Short mmCIF file of all heavy atoms in Angstrom, two decimals:
data_model
loop_
_atom_site.label_atom_id
_atom_site.label_comp_id
_atom_site.label_asym_id
_atom_site.label_seq_id
_atom_site.Cartn_x
_atom_site.Cartn_y
_atom_site.Cartn_z
N ASN A 16 58.79 151.85 155.84
CA ASN A 16 59.84 151.57 154.87
C ASN A 16 60.86 150.65 155.52
O ASN A 16 61.85 151.11 156.09
CB ASN A 16 60.50 152.86 154.39
CG ASN A 16 61.40 152.63 153.18
OD1 ASN A 16 62.39 151.94 153.26
ND2 ASN A 16 61.02 153.22 152.04
N PRO A 17 60.66 149.35 155.46
CA PRO A 17 61.52 148.42 156.20
C PRO A 17 62.99 148.47 155.80
O PRO A 17 63.86 148.26 156.64
CB PRO A 17 60.90 147.05 155.91
CG PRO A 17 60.07 147.24 154.68
CD PRO A 17 59.59 148.64 154.72
N VAL A 18 63.28 148.74 154.52
CA VAL A 18 64.68 148.78 154.11
C VAL A 18 65.41 149.92 154.81
O VAL A 18 66.49 149.72 155.40
CB VAL A 18 64.79 148.94 152.58
CG1 VAL A 18 66.24 149.21 152.18
CG2 VAL A 18 64.27 147.69 151.87
N LEU A 19 64.84 151.13 154.77
CA LEU A 19 65.51 152.27 155.40
C LEU A 19 65.52 152.10 156.92
O LEU A 19 66.47 152.53 157.59
CB LEU A 19 64.82 153.58 155.01
CG LEU A 19 65.73 154.81 155.20
CD1 LEU A 19 66.91 154.76 154.24
CD2 LEU A 19 64.94 156.09 154.99
N LEU A 20 64.49 151.49 157.48
CA LEU A 20 64.46 151.27 158.92
C LEU A 20 65.61 150.33 159.34
O LEU A 20 66.28 150.56 160.35
CB LEU A 20 63.12 150.67 159.33
CG LEU A 20 62.82 150.63 160.84
CD1 LEU A 20 62.84 152.02 161.43
CD2 LEU A 20 61.46 149.96 161.07
N ARG A 21 65.84 149.29 158.54
CA ARG A 21 66.96 148.40 158.84
C ARG A 21 68.30 149.11 158.66
O ARG A 21 69.24 148.90 159.43
CB ARG A 21 66.88 147.16 157.96
CG ARG A 21 65.74 146.21 158.33
CD ARG A 21 65.91 144.84 157.69
NE ARG A 21 65.83 144.89 156.24
CZ ARG A 21 64.69 144.72 155.55
NH1 ARG A 21 63.55 144.52 156.20
NH2 ARG A 21 64.69 144.76 154.24
N LEU A 22 68.39 149.97 157.64
CA LEU A 22 69.61 150.74 157.46
C LEU A 22 69.86 151.66 158.65
O LEU A 22 71.01 151.84 159.09
CB LEU A 22 69.54 151.56 156.18
CG LEU A 22 69.66 150.79 154.86
CD1 LEU A 22 69.48 151.75 153.68
CD2 LEU A 22 71.00 150.08 154.77
N LEU A 23 68.81 152.25 159.18
CA LEU A 23 68.95 153.11 160.36
C LEU A 23 69.45 152.30 161.55
O LEU A 23 70.33 152.76 162.30
CB LEU A 23 67.61 153.76 160.70
CG LEU A 23 67.55 154.58 162.00
CD1 LEU A 23 68.61 155.69 161.98
CD2 LEU A 23 66.16 155.16 162.19
N ALA A 24 68.92 151.10 161.73
CA ALA A 24 69.38 150.25 162.83
C ALA A 24 70.85 149.91 162.67
O ALA A 24 71.63 149.96 163.64
CB ALA A 24 68.54 148.98 162.90
N VAL A 25 71.26 149.58 161.44
CA VAL A 25 72.66 149.26 161.19
C VAL A 25 73.54 150.49 161.45
O VAL A 25 74.60 150.39 162.08
CB VAL A 25 72.85 148.77 159.74
CG1 VAL A 25 74.33 148.69 159.38
CG2 VAL A 25 72.19 147.40 159.55
N ALA A 26 73.11 151.68 160.98
CA ALA A 26 73.89 152.90 161.18
C ALA A 26 74.05 153.22 162.66
O ALA A 26 75.13 153.61 163.11
CB ALA A 26 73.23 154.07 160.45
N GLY A 27 72.97 153.06 163.43
CA GLY A 27 73.04 153.32 164.86
C GLY A 27 73.99 152.36 165.56
O GLY A 27 74.81 152.76 166.41
N LEU A 28 73.90 151.08 165.23
CA LEU A 28 74.78 150.08 165.84
C LEU A 28 76.24 150.29 165.40
O LEU A 28 77.16 150.10 166.20
CB LEU A 28 74.32 148.67 165.46
CG LEU A 28 73.02 148.21 166.12
CD1 LEU A 28 72.53 146.92 165.50
CD2 LEU A 28 73.23 148.04 167.63
N LEU A 29 76.45 150.70 164.16
CA LEU A 29 77.80 150.98 163.70
C LEU A 29 78.39 152.16 164.46
O LEU A 29 79.56 152.14 164.87
CB LEU A 29 77.80 151.25 162.20
CG LEU A 29 79.16 151.54 161.55
CD1 LEU A 29 80.10 150.35 161.72
CD2 LEU A 29 78.99 151.89 160.08
N SER A 30 77.59 153.21 164.64
CA SER A 30 78.04 154.36 165.40
C SER A 30 78.43 153.96 166.82
O SER A 30 79.47 154.37 167.35
CB SER A 30 76.94 155.42 165.43
OG SER A 30 77.33 156.56 166.15
N PHE A 31 77.60 153.12 167.44
CA PHE A 31 77.84 152.67 168.81
C PHE A 31 79.10 151.82 168.90
O PHE A 31 79.97 152.05 169.75
CB PHE A 31 76.63 151.88 169.30
CG PHE A 31 76.77 151.31 170.67
CD1 PHE A 31 76.51 152.08 171.79
CD2 PHE A 31 77.16 149.98 170.85
CE1 PHE A 31 76.65 151.56 173.06
CE2 PHE A 31 77.29 149.44 172.11
CZ PHE A 31 77.04 150.23 173.22
N THR A 32 79.24 150.84 168.01
CA THR A 32 80.36 149.90 168.12
C THR A 32 81.70 150.55 167.75
O THR A 32 82.73 150.23 168.36
CB THR A 32 80.14 148.66 167.23
OG1 THR A 32 79.88 149.07 165.88
CG2 THR A 32 78.95 147.84 167.74
N THR A 33 81.71 151.46 166.78
CA THR A 33 82.97 152.13 166.45
C THR A 33 83.40 153.09 167.55
O THR A 33 84.59 153.23 167.85
CB THR A 33 82.87 152.90 165.12
OG1 THR A 33 81.78 153.82 165.17
CG2 THR A 33 82.68 151.94 163.96
N GLU A 34 82.42 153.75 168.20
CA GLU A 34 82.77 154.71 169.25
C GLU A 34 83.33 154.02 170.49
O GLU A 34 84.05 154.66 171.26
CB GLU A 34 81.55 155.55 169.61
CG GLU A 34 81.84 156.77 170.46
CD GLU A 34 82.76 157.78 169.77
OE1 GLU A 34 82.83 157.77 168.52
OE2 GLU A 34 83.40 158.56 170.48
N LEU A 35 83.02 152.75 170.70
CA LEU A 35 83.64 152.01 171.79
C LEU A 35 85.15 152.22 171.78
O LEU A 35 85.78 152.47 172.82
CB LEU A 35 83.35 150.51 171.66
CG LEU A 35 81.93 150.00 171.86
CD1 LEU A 35 81.86 148.51 171.52
CD2 LEU A 35 81.46 150.25 173.28
N ALA A 36 85.74 152.11 170.58
CA ALA A 36 87.19 152.21 170.45
C ALA A 36 87.65 153.63 170.15
O ALA A 36 88.67 154.08 170.67
CB ALA A 36 87.67 151.28 169.34
N GLN A 37 86.91 154.36 169.31
CA GLN A 37 87.36 155.70 168.93
C GLN A 37 87.52 156.61 170.14
O GLN A 37 88.43 157.43 170.18
CB GLN A 37 86.37 156.32 167.93
CG GLN A 37 86.49 155.77 166.53
CD GLN A 37 85.92 156.73 165.50
OE1 GLN A 37 86.65 157.50 164.89
NE2 GLN A 37 84.63 156.67 165.30
N ALA A 38 86.64 156.47 171.12
CA ALA A 38 86.74 157.29 172.33
C ALA A 38 87.99 156.97 173.13
O ALA A 38 88.42 157.76 173.97
CB ALA A 38 85.50 157.10 173.20
N GLN A 39 88.59 155.80 172.88
CA GLN A 39 89.80 155.37 173.59
C GLN A 39 91.06 155.55 172.76
O GLN A 39 92.14 155.11 173.16
CB GLN A 39 89.65 153.90 173.99
CG GLN A 39 88.46 153.59 174.86
CD GLN A 39 88.53 154.32 176.19
OE1 GLN A 39 89.47 154.18 176.94
NE2 GLN A 39 87.51 155.13 176.46
N LEU A 40 90.95 156.19 171.60
CA LEU A 40 92.08 156.29 170.69
C LEU A 40 93.27 157.00 171.32
O LEU A 40 94.42 156.58 171.14
CB LEU A 40 91.65 157.00 169.40
CG LEU A 40 92.73 157.13 168.31
CD1 LEU A 40 93.18 155.74 167.84
CD2 LEU A 40 92.22 157.96 167.14
N VAL A 41 93.02 158.06 172.06
CA VAL A 41 94.15 158.80 172.65
C VAL A 41 94.88 157.94 173.68
O VAL A 41 96.12 157.94 173.74
CB VAL A 41 93.66 160.13 173.27
CG1 VAL A 41 92.70 159.89 174.44
CG2 VAL A 41 94.84 160.99 173.71
N LEU A 42 94.15 157.18 174.49
CA LEU A 42 94.80 156.28 175.45
C LEU A 42 95.54 155.15 174.73
O LEU A 42 96.63 154.75 175.14
CB LEU A 42 93.77 155.70 176.42
CG LEU A 42 93.10 156.68 177.38
CD1 LEU A 42 92.08 155.95 178.25
CD2 LEU A 42 94.14 157.38 178.25
N TYR A 43 94.93 154.64 173.67
CA TYR A 43 95.57 153.59 172.87
C TYR A 43 96.91 154.08 172.33
O TYR A 43 97.92 153.36 172.40
CB TYR A 43 94.63 153.20 171.73
CG TYR A 43 95.24 152.29 170.69
CD1 TYR A 43 95.36 150.92 170.92
CD2 TYR A 43 95.69 152.80 169.47
CE1 TYR A 43 95.92 150.07 169.96
CE2 TYR A 43 96.24 151.96 168.51
CZ TYR A 43 96.36 150.61 168.76
OH TYR A 43 96.90 149.78 167.82
N ALA A 44 96.94 155.30 171.80
CA ALA A 44 98.16 155.82 171.21
C ALA A 44 99.22 156.14 172.27
O ALA A 44 100.39 155.79 172.11
CB ALA A 44 97.85 157.07 170.39
N LEU A 45 98.80 156.81 173.35
CA LEU A 45 99.76 157.27 174.34
C LEU A 45 100.25 156.15 175.25
O LEU A 45 101.43 156.07 175.58
CB LEU A 45 99.15 158.40 175.18
CG LEU A 45 98.73 159.66 174.43
CD1 LEU A 45 98.16 160.69 175.40
CD2 LEU A 45 99.89 160.26 173.65
N GLN A 46 99.33 155.27 175.67
CA GLN A 46 99.69 154.24 176.64
C GLN A 46 100.09 152.93 175.97
O GLN A 46 101.16 152.38 176.26
CB GLN A 46 98.52 154.00 177.60
CG GLN A 46 98.19 155.22 178.47
CD GLN A 46 97.04 154.96 179.43
OE1 GLN A 46 96.42 153.89 179.42
NE2 GLN A 46 96.74 155.93 180.27
N ASP A 47 99.26 152.42 175.08
CA ASP A 47 99.54 151.10 174.51
C ASP A 47 100.66 151.14 173.47
O ASP A 47 101.46 150.21 173.37
CB ASP A 47 98.28 150.51 173.88
CG ASP A 47 97.21 150.20 174.91
OD1 ASP A 47 97.31 150.71 176.05
OD2 ASP A 47 96.27 149.44 174.59
N LEU A 48 100.71 152.21 172.68
CA LEU A 48 101.74 152.32 171.65
C LEU A 48 102.94 153.16 172.11
O LEU A 48 103.97 153.17 171.45
CB LEU A 48 101.17 152.92 170.36
CG LEU A 48 100.08 152.11 169.66
CD1 LEU A 48 99.61 152.84 168.41
CD2 LEU A 48 100.56 150.71 169.31
N GLY A 49 102.78 153.90 173.21
CA GLY A 49 103.88 154.69 173.75
C GLY A 49 104.21 155.93 172.96
O GLY A 49 105.36 156.42 173.01
N LEU A 50 103.26 156.48 172.23
CA LEU A 50 103.50 157.69 171.45
C LEU A 50 103.42 158.92 172.34
O LEU A 50 102.81 158.90 173.41
CB LEU A 50 102.47 157.80 170.32
CG LEU A 50 102.44 156.65 169.30
CD1 LEU A 50 101.33 156.89 168.29
CD2 LEU A 50 103.79 156.52 168.60
N ASP A 51 104.01 160.03 171.87
CA ASP A 51 103.83 161.29 172.59
C ASP A 51 102.67 162.05 171.97
O ASP A 51 102.07 161.64 170.98
CB ASP A 51 105.11 162.13 172.57
CG ASP A 51 105.59 162.46 171.15
OD1 ASP A 51 104.76 162.46 170.22
OD2 ASP A 51 106.78 162.73 170.98
N GLU A 52 102.34 163.19 172.59
CA GLU A 52 101.16 163.95 172.16
C GLU A 52 101.28 164.43 170.72
O GLU A 52 100.30 164.45 169.97
CB GLU A 52 100.92 165.14 173.10
CG GLU A 52 100.39 164.78 174.46
CD GLU A 52 101.48 164.26 175.40
OE1 GLU A 52 102.66 164.21 174.99
OE2 GLU A 52 101.14 163.90 176.55
N ALA A 53 102.49 164.82 170.31
CA ALA A 53 102.67 165.30 168.94
C ALA A 53 102.44 164.18 167.93
O ALA A 53 101.79 164.37 166.91
CB ALA A 53 104.06 165.89 168.77
N ALA A 54 102.96 162.99 168.24
CA ALA A 54 102.80 161.86 167.34
C ALA A 54 101.34 161.42 167.25
O ALA A 54 100.91 160.90 166.22
CB ALA A 54 103.68 160.70 167.77
N PHE A 55 100.58 161.65 168.33
CA PHE A 55 99.18 161.26 168.31
C PHE A 55 98.43 161.98 167.19
O PHE A 55 97.50 161.44 166.59
CB PHE A 55 98.53 161.56 169.65
CG PHE A 55 97.03 161.44 169.65
CD1 PHE A 55 96.42 160.21 169.48
CD2 PHE A 55 96.22 162.56 169.78
CE1 PHE A 55 95.04 160.08 169.45
CE2 PHE A 55 94.85 162.45 169.77
CZ PHE A 55 94.25 161.20 169.60
N GLY A 56 98.84 163.22 166.90
CA GLY A 56 98.17 163.98 165.84
C GLY A 56 98.26 163.32 164.49
O GLY A 56 97.43 163.57 163.61
N VAL A 57 99.26 162.44 164.30
CA VAL A 57 99.40 161.74 163.03
C VAL A 57 98.19 160.84 162.77
O VAL A 57 97.79 160.63 161.62
CB VAL A 57 100.71 160.92 163.01
CG1 VAL A 57 100.81 160.09 161.74
CG2 VAL A 57 101.90 161.85 163.14
N PHE A 58 97.59 160.29 163.84
CA PHE A 58 96.43 159.44 163.66
C PHE A 58 95.30 160.20 162.98
O PHE A 58 94.64 159.67 162.07
CB PHE A 58 95.96 158.88 165.01
CG PHE A 58 96.61 157.59 165.39
CD1 PHE A 58 97.78 157.60 166.14
CD2 PHE A 58 96.09 156.38 165.00
CE1 PHE A 58 98.40 156.42 166.49
CE2 PHE A 58 96.69 155.18 165.35
CZ PHE A 58 97.86 155.21 166.10
N ALA A 59 95.07 161.44 163.43
CA ALA A 59 94.01 162.24 162.80
C ALA A 59 94.34 162.52 161.35
O ALA A 59 93.46 162.46 160.47
CB ALA A 59 93.84 163.56 163.57
#
């Protein structure tokens, strides 16, 4: 099923590329934006 296979490839790559940044969200908020731990919860 080439359509679903391509969708799976896109989903896997999307998961990979978004996690590059999502895993760094806490550092982004605390260090780059200068937020405190309580304010970080607003992102969620």
